[in-house]
Amino acid sequence: MVAAIEEAAEAASAQQPPADAQNCTTVPNESVSQMHNFAQKPEPYRRPEPKTGRNDPCPCASGKKYKHCCLGKSSAAA
């Protein structure tokens, strides 16, 4: 039984690769790493205006702090 297993293992290692293996379109690992280096990183989102802080004056020009004026209004509208 052991001899049969050894013969099967030798036969499997002696087999030629399939004919379509030579038409394989995979890229070698070196090329993949080079392509990865040239990939462009996406630009982060930039706000057109700085975000209004809680203690900043309200942008509605009421003279109050944002947290006491429009903070609750803008979150409820969204």
Side-chain angles (χ1 to χ4, degrees):
M1 177 111 177
V2 175
I5 295 173
E6 290 175 357
E7 288 177 14
E10 288 176 18
S13 65
Q15 290 180 353
Q16 296 294 327
D20 63 342
Q22 296 175 1
N23 295 333
C24 184
T25 59
T26 58
V27 179
N29 290 337
E30 294 172 6
S31 297
V32 171
S33 64
Q34 289 175 355
M35 290 187 328
H36 180 68
N37 291 338
F38 293 117
Q40 295 179 356
K41 294 181 181 178
E43 288 291 322
Y45 174 76
R46 302 284 183 191
R47 293 181 183 271
E49 300 176 350
K51 191 173 180 180
T52 305
R54 290 175 46 90
N55 290 320
D56 292 340
C58 191
C60 74
S62 65
K64 297 181 181 178
K65 287 186 178 181
Y66 179 65
K67 66 182 177 182
H68 292 296
C69 185
C70 293
L71 178 64
K73 296 176 188 173
S74 64
S75 64

